[in-house]
Coordinates of all heavy atoms in Angstrom, one line a residue:
R239 N -39.4 15.1 136.1 CA -39.1 13.7 135.8 C -37.7 13.3 136.2 O -37.3 12.1 135.9 CB -39.4 13.4 134.3 CG -40.9 13.5 134.0 CD -41.6 12.2 134.1 NE -43.0 12.3 134.2 CZ -43.8 11.3 134.0 NH1 -43.3 10.1 133.7 NH2 -45.1 11.4 134.1
R240 N -37.0 14.1 136.9 CA -35.6 13.8 137.2 C -35.4 13.5 138.7 O -35.9 14.2 139.5 CB -34.7 14.9 136.8 CG -33.2 14.6 137.0 CD -32.3 15.8 136.7 NE -32.6 16.3 135.3 CZ -32.5 17.6 135.0 NH1 -32.1 18.5 135.9 NH2 -32.7 17.9 133.7
E241 N -34.7 12.4 139.0 CA -34.5 12.0 140.4 C -33.1 11.4 140.5 O -32.7 10.7 139.6 CB -35.6 11.0 140.8 CG -35.5 10.6 142.3 CD -34.5 9.4 142.5 OE1 -34.4 8.6 141.6 OE2 -33.9 9.4 143.6
F242 N -32.4 11.6 141.6 CA -31.0 11.3 141.7 C -30.7 9.8 141.5 O -29.7 9.4 140.8 CB -30.4 11.8 143.0 CG -29.0 11.2 143.2 CD1 -27.9 11.7 142.5 CD2 -28.8 10.2 144.1 CE1 -26.6 11.2 142.7 CE2 -27.6 9.6 144.3 CZ -26.5 10.1 143.6
N243 N -31.3 8.9 142.3 CA -31.0 7.5 142.2 C -31.0 7.0 140.8 O -30.1 6.2 140.4 CB -31.9 6.7 143.1 CG -31.7 6.8 144.5 OD1 -30.6 7.3 144.9 ND2 -32.6 6.3 145.3
I244 N -31.9 7.4 140.0 CA -32.0 7.0 138.6 C -31.0 7.7 137.8 O -30.3 7.1 136.9 CB -33.4 7.2 138.0 CG1 -34.5 6.6 138.9 CG2 -33.5 6.8 136.6 CD1 -34.3 5.1 139.1
R245 N -30.8 9.0 138.0 CA -29.9 9.8 137.1 C -28.5 9.4 137.3 O -27.6 9.6 136.4 CB -30.1 11.3 137.5 CG -29.2 12.3 136.7 CD -29.4 12.2 135.3 NE -28.6 13.1 134.5 CZ -27.3 13.0 134.3 NH1 -26.7 11.9 134.8 NH2 -26.6 13.9 133.6
F246 N -28.1 8.8 138.4 CA -26.7 8.4 138.7 C -26.4 7.2 137.8 O -25.2 7.1 137.3 CB -26.5 8.0 140.1 CG -25.1 7.9 140.6 CD1 -24.3 9.0 140.9 CD2 -24.5 6.6 140.7 CE1 -23.0 8.9 141.3 CE2 -23.2 6.5 141.1 CZ -22.4 7.6 141.4
D247 N -27.3 6.3 137.5 CA -27.1 5.2 136.7 C -28.4 4.8 135.9 O -29.1 3.8 136.2 CB -26.6 3.9 137.5 CG -26.1 2.8 136.6 OD1 -26.3 2.9 135.4 OD2 -25.4 1.9 137.2
P248 N -28.7 5.6 134.9 CA -30.0 5.4 134.1 C -30.0 4.0 133.4 O -31.1 3.4 133.3 CB -30.0 6.5 133.1 CG -29.1 7.6 133.7 CD -28.0 6.8 134.4
E249 N -28.9 3.6 132.9 CA -28.9 2.3 132.2 C -29.3 1.1 133.2 O -30.0 0.2 132.8 CB -27.5 2.0 131.6 CG -27.2 2.9 130.4 CD -26.8 4.3 130.7 OE1 -26.5 4.6 131.9 OE2 -26.8 5.2 129.8
A250 N -28.7 1.2 134.4 CA -29.1 0.1 135.4 C -30.6 0.2 135.7 O -31.3 -0.8 135.8 CB -28.3 0.3 136.6
A251 N -31.1 1.4 135.9 CA -32.5 1.6 136.2 C -33.4 1.0 135.1 O -34.4 0.4 135.3 CB -32.8 3.0 136.4
S252 N -33.0 1.2 133.8 CA -33.8 0.7 132.7 C -33.8 -0.8 132.7 O -34.8 -1.5 132.4 CB -33.3 1.3 131.4 OG -34.1 0.9 130.3
I253 N -32.6 -1.4 132.9 CA -32.5 -2.9 132.9 C -33.4 -3.5 134.0 O -34.1 -4.4 133.8 CB -31.0 -3.3 133.1 CG1 -30.2 -3.0 131.9 CG2 -30.9 -4.8 133.5 CD1 -28.7 -3.1 132.1
V254 N -33.3 -2.9 135.2 CA -34.1 -3.4 136.3 C -35.6 -3.2 136.0 O -36.4 -4.1 136.4 CB -33.7 -2.7 137.6 CG1 -34.6 -3.0 138.8 CG2 -32.2 -3.1 138.0
S255 N -36.0 -2.1 135.4 CA -37.4 -1.8 135.2 C -38.0 -2.8 134.2 O -39.2 -3.1 134.2 CB -37.6 -0.4 134.7 OG -37.3 0.5 135.6
R256 N -37.2 -3.3 133.3 CA -37.7 -4.3 132.3 C -37.5 -5.8 132.7 O -37.9 -6.7 132.0 CB -36.9 -4.1 131.0 CG -37.1 -2.7 130.4 CD -36.4 -2.5 129.0 NE -36.5 -1.2 128.5 CZ -36.2 -0.9 127.3 NH1 -35.9 -1.8 126.4 NH2 -36.2 0.4 126.9
A257 N -36.9 -6.0 133.9 CA -36.7 -7.4 134.3 C -38.0 -8.0 134.8 O -38.9 -7.2 135.2 CB -35.7 -7.4 135.5
P258 N -38.2 -9.3 134.7 CA -39.5 -9.9 135.0 C -39.7 -10.1 136.5 O -39.9 -11.3 137.0 CB -39.4 -11.3 134.3 CG -37.9 -11.6 134.3 CD -37.2 -10.3 134.2
W259 N -39.9 -9.1 137.3 CA -40.2 -9.2 138.7 C -41.7 -9.6 138.8 O -42.5 -9.3 138.0 CB -40.1 -7.8 139.4 CG -38.7 -7.2 139.2 CD1 -38.3 -6.4 138.3 CD2 -37.6 -7.4 140.1 NE1 -36.9 -6.0 138.5 CE2 -36.5 -6.7 139.6 CE3 -37.4 -8.2 141.2 CZ2 -35.2 -6.7 140.2 CZ3 -36.1 -8.2 141.8 CH2 -35.1 -7.4 141.3
R260 N -41.9 -10.3 140.0 CA -43.3 -10.7 140.2 C -44.1 -9.5 140.6 O -45.3 -9.4 140.3 CB -43.3 -11.7 141.4 CG -42.5 -13.0 141.1 CD -42.6 -14.0 142.2 NE -41.7 -15.1 142.0 CZ -41.8 -16.3 142.5 NH1 -42.8 -16.6 143.3 NH2 -40.9 -17.3 142.2
H261 N -43.5 -8.6 141.4 CA -44.2 -7.3 141.8 C -43.2 -6.2 141.9 O -42.0 -6.5 142.4 CB -44.9 -7.5 143.2 CG -46.0 -8.5 143.2 ND1 -45.9 -9.7 143.8 CD2 -47.3 -8.5 142.7 CE1 -47.0 -10.4 143.6 NE2 -47.8 -9.7 142.9
I262 N -43.5 -5.0 141.6 CA -42.7 -3.9 141.7 C -43.5 -2.8 142.4 O -44.6 -2.4 142.0 CB -42.1 -3.3 140.4 CG1 -41.4 -4.4 139.6 CG2 -41.2 -2.1 140.6 CD1 -41.0 -4.0 138.2
T263 N -42.9 -2.2 143.5 CA -43.4 -1.0 144.1 C -42.4 0.1 143.9 O -41.3 0.0 144.4 CB -43.7 -1.2 145.6 OG1 -44.7 -2.3 145.7 CG2 -44.3 0.0 146.2
V264 N -42.8 1.2 143.3 CA -42.0 2.3 143.1 C -42.3 3.4 144.1 O -43.5 3.9 144.2 CB -42.1 2.9 141.7 CG1 -41.2 4.1 141.5 CG2 -41.8 1.8 140.6
V265 N -41.4 3.9 144.9 CA -41.5 5.0 145.8 C -40.8 6.2 145.1 O -39.5 6.3 145.3 CB -41.1 4.8 147.2 CG1 -41.2 6.0 148.1 CG2 -41.8 3.6 147.8
P266 N -41.4 7.0 144.3 CA -40.7 8.1 143.7 C -40.5 9.3 144.6 O -40.8 9.3 145.8 CB -41.6 8.4 142.5 CG -43.0 8.2 143.1 CD -42.8 7.0 144.0
A267 N -39.9 10.4 144.0 CA -39.7 11.6 144.8 C -41.1 12.2 145.2 O -41.1 13.0 146.2 CB -38.9 12.6 144.0
D268 N -42.1 11.9 144.5 CA -43.4 12.6 144.7 C -43.9 12.7 146.2 O -44.2 13.8 146.7 CB -44.5 12.0 143.8 CG -44.1 12.1 142.3 OD1 -43.0 11.6 142.0 OD2 -44.9 12.6 141.5
P269 N -44.0 11.6 146.9 CA -44.5 11.7 148.3 C -43.5 12.3 149.2 O -43.9 12.7 150.3 CB -44.8 10.2 148.6 CG -43.9 9.4 147.8 CD -43.8 10.2 146.5
S270 N -42.2 12.4 148.8 CA -41.2 12.9 149.8 C -41.3 14.4 150.1 O -40.8 14.8 151.1 CB -39.8 12.6 149.2 OG -39.5 13.5 148.1
T271 N -41.9 15.1 149.2 CA -42.0 16.6 149.4 C -42.9 16.9 150.6 O -42.9 18.1 151.0 CB -42.5 17.3 148.2 OG1 -43.8 16.8 147.8 CG2 -41.5 17.1 147.0
A272 N -43.7 15.9 151.1 CA -44.5 16.2 152.3 C -43.8 15.8 153.6 O -44.4 15.8 154.6 CB -45.8 15.4 152.1
T273 N -42.5 15.3 153.5 CA -41.8 14.9 154.6 C -40.5 15.7 154.8 O -40.0 16.3 153.9 CB -41.4 13.4 154.4 OG1 -40.4 13.3 153.4 CG2 -42.6 12.5 154.0
Q274 N -40.0 15.6 156.0 CA -38.7 16.3 156.3 C -38.1 15.7 157.6 O -38.8 15.5 158.6 CB -38.9 17.8 156.4 CG -37.6 18.5 156.4 CD -37.7 20.0 156.4 OE1 -38.7 20.6 156.9 NE2 -36.7 20.7 155.9
Q275 N -36.8 15.5 157.5 CA -36.0 15.0 158.6 C -35.6 16.3 159.4 O -34.5 16.8 159.3 CB -34.8 14.3 158.1 CG -34.2 13.3 159.1 CD -33.3 12.3 158.3 OE1 -33.8 11.3 157.9 NE2 -32.0 12.6 158.3
T276 N -36.6 16.7 160.2 CA -36.4 18.0 161.0 C -35.5 17.7 162.3 O -35.5 16.6 162.7 CB -37.7 18.6 161.4 OG1 -38.3 17.6 162.3 CG2 -38.6 18.9 160.2
P277 N -34.9 18.7 162.8 CA -34.2 18.5 164.1 C -35.1 18.0 165.2 O -34.7 17.2 166.0 CB -33.7 20.0 164.4 CG -33.6 20.6 163.1 CD -34.7 20.1 162.3
E278 N -36.3 18.4 165.2 CA -37.3 18.0 166.2 C -37.6 16.5 166.1 O -37.6 15.8 167.1 CB -38.6 18.8 166.1 CG -38.5 20.3 166.4 CD -37.8 21.1 165.3 OE1 -37.8 20.6 164.1 OE2 -37.3 22.2 165.6
L279 N -37.8 16.0 164.8 CA -38.0 14.6 164.6 C -36.8 13.8 165.0 O -36.9 12.7 165.6 CB -38.4 14.4 163.2 CG -38.7 12.9 162.8 CD1 -39.8 12.3 163.6 CD2 -39.0 12.8 161.3
I280 N -35.6 14.2 164.6 CA -34.4 13.5 164.9 C -34.2 13.4 166.4 O -33.9 12.3 166.9 CB -33.2 14.3 164.3 CG1 -33.1 14.1 162.8 CG2 -31.9 13.7 164.9 CD1 -32.9 12.7 162.3
E281 N -34.5 14.4 167.2 CA -34.4 14.4 168.6 C -35.4 13.4 169.2 O -35.1 12.7 170.2 CB -34.4 15.8 169.2 CG -34.1 15.8 170.7 CD -32.8 15.2 171.0 OE1 -31.8 15.3 170.2 OE2 -32.6 14.7 172.2
R282 N -36.6 13.5 168.7 CA -37.7 12.6 169.1 C -37.3 11.1 169.0 O -37.5 10.3 169.9 CB -39.0 12.9 168.4 CG -40.2 12.4 168.9 CD -41.4 13.0 168.2 NE -42.1 12.0 167.4 CZ -42.8 12.3 166.3 NH1 -42.8 13.5 165.8 NH2 -43.4 11.3 165.6
L283 N -36.7 10.8 167.8 CA -36.3 9.4 167.6 C -35.2 9.0 168.4 O -35.1 7.9 168.9 CB -36.0 9.3 166.1 CG -37.1 9.5 165.1 CD1 -36.6 9.4 163.7 CD2 -38.3 8.6 165.3
A284 N -34.2 9.9 168.6 CA -33.0 9.6 169.4 C -33.4 9.4 170.8 O -32.8 8.5 171.5 CB -32.0 10.8 169.3
K285 N -34.4 10.1 171.4 CA -34.7 9.9 172.8 C -35.3 8.5 173.1 O -35.2 8.0 174.2 CB -35.7 11.0 173.2 CG -35.1 12.3 173.4 CD -36.2 13.4 173.8 CE -35.5 14.7 174.2 NZ -36.5 15.7 174.5
V286 N -35.9 7.9 172.1 CA -36.5 6.6 172.4 C -35.6 5.4 172.0 O -35.8 4.3 172.4 CB -37.9 6.4 171.6 CG1 -38.9 7.5 172.1 CG2 -37.7 6.4 170.1
A287 N -34.5 5.7 171.2 CA -33.6 4.7 170.7 C -32.6 4.3 171.8 O -32.4 5.0 172.8 CB -32.9 5.2 169.5
S288 N -31.9 3.2 171.5 CA -30.8 2.8 172.4 C -29.7 3.8 172.3 O -29.6 4.6 171.4 CB -30.3 1.4 171.9 OG -29.6 1.6 170.7
P289 N -28.9 3.9 173.4 CA -27.8 4.9 173.4 C -26.9 4.8 172.1 O -26.6 5.9 171.5 CB -27.0 4.6 174.6 CG -28.0 4.0 175.5 CD -28.9 3.2 174.6
D290 N -26.6 3.6 171.7 CA -25.7 3.5 170.5 C -26.4 4.0 169.2 O -25.9 4.7 168.4 CB -25.3 2.1 170.3 CG -24.1 1.7 171.2 OD1 -23.5 2.6 171.8 OD2 -23.9 0.5 171.4
L291 N -27.7 3.5 169.0 CA -28.4 4.0 167.9 C -28.7 5.5 167.9 O -28.8 6.1 166.9 CB -29.7 3.1 167.7 CG -30.4 3.2 166.4 CD1 -29.4 2.9 165.2 CD2 -31.6 2.3 166.4
A292 N -28.9 6.0 169.1 CA -29.2 7.4 169.3 C -28.0 8.2 168.8 O -28.2 9.3 168.2 CB -29.5 7.8 170.7
R293 N -26.8 7.8 169.0 CA -25.6 8.5 168.5 C -25.7 8.6 167.0 O -25.4 9.6 166.4 CB -24.4 7.7 168.9 CG -23.9 7.9 170.3 CD -22.6 7.0 170.5 NE -21.6 7.4 169.5 CZ -20.6 6.5 169.2 NH1 -20.6 5.3 169.6 NH2 -19.7 6.9 168.3
L294 N -26.0 7.5 166.3 CA -26.1 7.5 164.9 C -27.2 8.5 164.4 O -27.1 9.3 163.5 CB -26.4 6.1 164.4 CG -26.4 5.9 162.8 CD1 -26.1 4.4 162.5 CD2 -27.8 6.2 162.2
I295 N -28.4 8.4 165.1 CA -29.5 9.2 164.7 C -29.2 10.7 164.8 O -29.5 11.5 163.9 CB -30.8 8.8 165.5 CG1 -31.3 7.4 165.2 CG2 -31.9 9.9 165.3 CD1 -32.3 6.9 166.1
R296 N -28.6 11.1 165.9 CA -28.2 12.5 166.1 C -27.2 13.0 165.1 O -27.0 14.2 164.9 CB -27.8 12.7 167.5 CG -28.9 12.6 168.6 CD -28.5 13.1 169.9 NE -29.6 13.2 170.8 CZ -29.9 12.3 171.8 NH1 -29.1 11.2 171.9 NH2 -31.0 12.4 172.5
S297 N -26.4 12.1 164.5 CA -25.4 12.5 163.5 C -26.0 12.7 162.1 O -25.3 13.2 161.2 CB -24.3 11.4 163.4 OG -24.8 10.3 162.7
L298 N -27.3 12.3 161.9 CA -27.9 12.4 160.6 C -28.1 13.9 160.2 O -28.5 14.7 161.1 CB -29.2 11.7 160.5 CG -29.1 10.1 160.8 CD1 -30.5 9.5 160.8 CD2 -28.3 9.5 159.7
P299 N -27.9 14.2 159.0 CA -28.2 15.6 158.5 C -29.7 15.9 158.6 O -30.5 15.0 158.4 CB -27.6 15.7 157.1 CG -27.7 14.2 156.6 CD -27.4 13.4 157.8
T300 N -30.0 17.1 158.9 CA -31.4 17.5 158.9 C -31.8 18.4 157.7 O -30.9 18.9 157.0 CB -31.7 18.4 160.2 OG1 -30.9 19.5 160.2 CG2 -31.4 17.5 161.5
G301 N -33.1 18.6 157.5 CA -33.5 19.4 156.4 C -33.9 18.6 155.2 O -34.6 19.2 154.3
F302 N -33.4 17.4 155.1 CA -33.7 16.6 153.8 C -35.1 15.9 153.9 O -35.5 15.5 155.0 CB -32.6 15.5 153.6 CG -31.3 16.1 153.3 CD1 -30.3 16.3 154.3 CD2 -31.0 16.4 152.0 CE1 -29.1 16.8 153.9 CE2 -29.7 17.0 151.6 CZ -28.8 17.2 152.6
P303 N -35.7 15.7 152.8 CA -36.9 14.8 152.8 C -36.5 13.4 153.2 O -35.4 13.0 153.2 CB -37.3 14.9 151.3 CG -36.7 16.1 150.7 CD -35.4 16.3 151.4
M304 N -37.6 12.6 153.5 CA -37.4 11.3 154.0 C -37.6 10.3 152.9 O -38.5 9.4 153.0 CB -38.2 11.0 155.2 CG -38.0 12.0 156.3 SD -39.0 11.8 157.8 CE -38.2 10.4 158.5
W305 N -36.8 10.3 151.8 CA -37.0 9.5 150.7 C -37.0 8.0 151.0 O -38.0 7.3 150.7 CB -35.9 9.8 149.7 CG -35.7 11.2 149.2 CD1 -36.5 11.8 148.2 CD2 -34.7 12.1 149.5 NE1 -36.1 13.1 148.0 CE2 -35.0 13.3 148.8 CE3 -33.6 12.1 150.4 CZ2 -34.1 14.4 148.8 CZ3 -32.8 13.2 150.4 CH2 -33.1 14.4 149.7
D306 N -35.9 7.5 151.5 CA -35.8 6.1 151.8 C -36.7 5.6 152.9 O -37.1 4.4 152.8 CB -34.3 5.8 152.1 CG -33.3 6.2 151.0 OD1 -33.8 6.5 149.9 OD2 -32.1 6.1 151.2
E307 N -36.9 6.4 153.8 CA -37.8 6.0 155.0 C -39.2 5.7 154.5 O -39.9 4.8 155.0 CB -37.8 7.1 156.0 CG -36.5 7.2 156.8 CD -35.3 7.8 156.0 OE1 -35.6 8.6 155.0 OE2 -34.2 7.6 156.3
I308 N -39.6 6.4 153.5 CA -41.0 6.1 152.9 C -41.0 4.7 152.3 O -42.0 4.0 152.5 CB -41.4 7.2 151.8 CG1 -41.4 8.6 152.4 CG2 -42.7 6.8 151.2 CD1 -41.6 9.7 151.4
A309 N -39.9 4.3 151.6 CA -39.9 3.0 151.0 C -40.0 1.9 152.1 O -40.7 0.9 151.9 CB -38.6 2.9 150.2
A310 N -39.2 2.1 153.1 CA -39.2 1.1 154.2 C -40.6 1.1 154.9 O -41.1 0.0 155.2 CB -38.1 1.4 155.2
A311 N -41.1 2.2 155.1 CA -42.4 2.3 155.8 C -43.5 1.7 155.0 O -44.4 1.0 155.5 CB -42.8 3.8 156.1
V312 N -43.6 2.0 153.7 CA -44.6 1.4 152.8 C -44.5 -0.1 152.8 O -45.5 -0.8 152.7 CB -44.5 2.0 151.4 CG1 -45.2 1.2 150.4 CG2 -45.0 3.5 151.4

Side-chain angles (χ1 to χ4, degrees):
R239 290 270 164 164
R240 185 185 302 151
E241 184 275 326
F242 168 75
N243 282 346
I244 305 303
R245 179 59 180 74
F246 193 81
D247 194 344
E249 288 76 16
S252 183
I253 289 171
V254 172
S255 294
R256 297 184 187 195
W259 303 92
R260 302 181 188 204
H261 298 105
I262 303 174
T263 299
V264 180
V265 179
D268 302 53
S270 74
T271 60
T273 69
Q274 190 174 27
Q275 204 161 272
T276 63
E278 294 76 20
L279 178 61
I280 289 293
E281 188 56 30
R282 194 171 109 208
L283 299 176
K285 282 182 177 177
V286 300
S288 69
D290 282 344
L291 194 54
R293 280 180 58 205
L294 186 154
I295 292 170
R296 289 192 173 101
S297 75
L298 297 175
T300 59
F302 290 97
M304 303 181 75
W305 299 286
D306 299 352
E307 290 72 25
I308 298 173
V312 165

